[in-house]
Amino acid sequence: MSSDKLTWTLTGATVACVLAVYVASAPRAVPGGDSGELITAACELGVAHPPGYPLFTMLSSLLLLLLPLSSPAHSINVMCAVFGAGASGGLCFTVCRLAGPGPGAVLAGGVFAVSRLVWQWSVVAEVFSLNNLFVGVLFSLSACFLCAKSVQQKKKFALWGALFCGLSLCNQHTLVLYVVIIIPWALLHLYTHNGLSFIGLVSLGTCFLAGFVPYIYLPISSYLNRARWSWGDQTSLHGFLTHLLRAEYGTFSLAKTDENLSLLKMLRAQWNHCVNDLSSPVLVLAVLGILLSIRSRIRFVFVWLIVTMVSIYSVFFAWRANLNIEKPLLLGVVERFWLQADAGVCVLAGLGLSWAVCWLNGRLSRGTVWNTGAWILTAGLISHMISLNHRECDQSSNDVMDRFAREVVLSLPEGSLVLTRGDLPGNTLRYVHYCQGLRPDLSLVDQEMMTYSWYVAKLQKHLPGVTFPGRWWDPVNTTEKKTFSIEQFLKHNMHRPVFVCIGLTEGDPSWERSFSRWPWGVCEQLVPVKTPFDPEKWAQKTLDLYNWSQPHDSFHPGSWERIANEEMWQARMKTAFFLFDLAENMEREQQARLYELSYYLYCQIVDAQVDYPANWDKNLALAAERLLQSGGRGYSLDSLLSRSIHHFSRYLQREPTDPQSKAIRSVITHLRKELDKLRDRQKG
């Protein structure tokens, strides 16, 4: 079999095997993070968050028509699995082109595909697998360009490379750090081979700009304004550039925060990720690839192109990643951007293995032995990584986010207005509401977007029954700016139940003058302050809002499933906590009544669970202690003292680092003395 045919066969086999693994592990329901938003943008043909991801949105929308699986989320998850498999094929092809088909090529594509992070983000509806595919394509075209035997062939690959450089920037903008290195490198290479001319430059520029054609989608979608959910107004040049350059986030930042960890700390975290996820043998092979590249000019040029791209990308990203990675969820946000560098490391490792086999064969002969050993090493590494990561990356039965959204949406009263806050409720509720048609009677309004000047003007017509008393939400100088405060917004929409999920955005406390927040599961209902509150009736109404059976503490700390599950568990005690907090500022008789009801609710939820959040113990102990001070209200003093001591002690066992631990121990000591005195009196 010829080398070219073997290259395509090996690449195709790698793609097929990876695709089989990915499709089997892709979730059937909506994942967490930005997935709900991206799928909704595809369903509605709207615009996703900056920079808009037009290529991803159009491909997703097309696939929803061509591949209608069990749900829109399932279809787009499978599409991303295809992109991810294509990315592994691109890395395999790159090594084949530079070092010949063999175990090194399979190692590059296989190890990359089944590493934890790549696998995890290649089976969900996110833009990262498409970005990985573009990385693989650019690496492959660069290798073909470098190895081409004639100038005409180099020109052909350069044109394709220019087109894909432009296309790649229609997806994730981090690829610009590879593109700005590849373009001058390719131009210099053409120049040294007398392949650069004015017409050639124009052709390359035209191909590069042609890659940006998908961005036309943004102003078209914005102008038509048919999407019930969309981000931004791209009908003006200013609006288009604002979205394209991510000005609302901070153009070169991940989020609108002031946090910034040290460069070295971020690079150290990335290095630890490489050691843990890609493994030490892969890193050793990557170093070997760099060392062995000096034996050939073509090898040396390509390897140092990869090294330069990975190094500049890693340093730049570590400088601009302004999220606190000491928080597990934010680390999960940051580490997804390390995938682009991982692709370069895996190519270097594949080249290192291929060239090491050639070197050993040239020095010691017995080529079959070394080749067999390399295949065994490749198979062993890939198999080990699959067994290590399969449990965490197999999301085929994961429907936590979908169930979370459905439980929240179905619990709300008819015709409710829902003010969402953050990615968890915002993206998941939007998905089930717009893409799956659940609860069309509801109106979803995003709190953060309501602070942008474009939101009301663009989306008001898609929110019938919602009144916006100004151009946007800005409580400062509302009369001069013709904006509105949250209090004004609520007053104009009190003809229907209004809920906030999860919490109200800080910075506008005006609602406190006229409204109260009553707990409703993970949400809260905003009601006028003069509305009479019946604690028993409200407790009964909110006791069993959700049918949630997911075990407590059952997900990885950095996952959205962990956050959703925690919200659902804490929702069970929100009414009890609210009543306890309300009692703190009441008259004695009302106070005792609220403490009693709070204590009763805490006992109900705690006694019904074997495992539950640690703060439940503390809250129940406090409720028992307060009810004790109020005279017991029908409960025996012995039982209240025993309950308080037991749950305070259990809380300290579970949370020994609590800043109030010393005070809690003091309370336990006091309560034990009181219990001993009580029992002595009873004996007497």
Side-chain angles (χ1 to χ4, degrees), residues 131 134 138 163-173 175 179 211:
N131 190 67
F134 278 122
L138 290 179
L163 175 64
F164 276 95
C165 280
L167 269 177
S168 68
L169 297 180
C170 292
N171 189 50
Q172 188 177 306
H173 282 182
L175 253 175
V179 169

Side-chain angles (χ1 to χ4, degrees), residues 328-566:
L329 184 64
L330 297 184
L331 173 61
V333 173
V334 169
E335 64 182 3
R336 301 174 301 178
F337 294 89
W338 294 336
L339 302 179
Q340 191 168 310
D342 287 355
V345 173
C346 289
V347 166
L348 293 176
L351 292 172
L353 181 61
S354 296
W355 291 337
V357 169
C358 291
W359 184 85
L360 288 169
N361 184 38
R363 288 296 180 92
L364 305 173
S365 65
R366 298 181 180 272
T368 305
V369 173
W370 306 121
N371 202 47
T372 303
W375 277 113
I376 292 172
L377 174 64
T378 298
L381 270 174
I382 293 174
S383 300
H384 174 69
M385 291 177 74
I386 290 175
S387 65
L388 201 64
N389 298 324
H390 181 266
R391 184 175 179 182
E392 184 177 347
C393 296
D394 180 11
Q395 300 294 306
S396 56
S397 59
N398 182 1
D399 63 347
V400 173
M401 306 306 296
D402 188 81
R403 284 191 290 118
F404 169 86
R406 288 176 176 274
E407 291 289 342
V408 173
V409 164
L410 293 174
S411 73
L412 297 168
E414 184 77 17
S416 295
L417 168 58
V418 187
L419 301 176
T420 60
R421 180 193 183 196
D423 289 344
L424 176 58
N427 293 341
T428 55
L429 267 60
R430 271 195 289 268
Y431 168 74
V432 297
H433 180 64
Y434 292 122
C435 290
Q436 299 199 301
L438 195 64
R439 294 297 304 272
D441 58 291
L442 301 180
S443 296
L444 304 184
V445 175
D446 190 287
Q447 293 184 53
E448 181 189 2
M449 289 189 182
M450 204 159 47
T451 64
Y452 294 129
S453 59
W454 49 263
Y455 183 76
V456 174
K458 296 296 292 184
L459 297 183
Q460 187 171 21
K461 78 170 191 176
H462 301 297
L463 294 166
V466 180
T467 302
F468 296 93
R471 296 190 298 171
W472 69 84
W473 177 12
D474 183 353
V476 181
N477 299 324
T478 55
T479 305
E480 294 177 21
K481 296 181 182 178
K482 296 181 181 179
T483 57
F484 57 88
S485 67
I486 192 63
E487 180 187 30
Q488 292 170 325
F489 176 80
L490 294 173
K491 284 182 175 179
H492 279 78
N493 291 281
M494 274 296 102
H495 55 282
R496 59 196 301 188
V498 180
F499 292 85
V500 291
C501 305
I502 300 172
L504 270 170
T505 302
E506 293 85 2
D508 184 2
S510 62
W511 65 271
E512 296 174 359
R513 294 192 293 261
S514 309
F515 295 90
S516 301
R517 291 194 297 185
W518 296 356
W520 187 278
V522 300
C523 306
E524 294 166 299
Q525 185 171 2
L526 283 160
V527 295
V529 289
K530 293 182 180 179
T531 305
F533 178 67
D534 185 334
E536 284 83 6
K537 185 178 179 181
W538 195 259
Q540 186 64 33
K541 199 173 184 179
T542 59
L543 185 60
D544 295 309
L545 279 176
Y546 309 132
N547 180 27
W548 192 258
S549 57
Q550 194 69 39
H552 171 61
D553 204 18
S554 54
F555 296 101
H556 185 273
S559 67
W560 281 105
E561 288 79 9
R562 173 69 166 254
I563 304 298
N565 191 35
E566 186 69 17

Side-chain angles (χ1 to χ4, degrees), residues 159 162-163 199-213:
L159 290 171
L163 175 64
I199 295 176
L201 277 174
V202 171
S203 300
L204 289 170
T206 302
C207 287
F208 179 68
L209 293 176
F212 287 89
V213 167

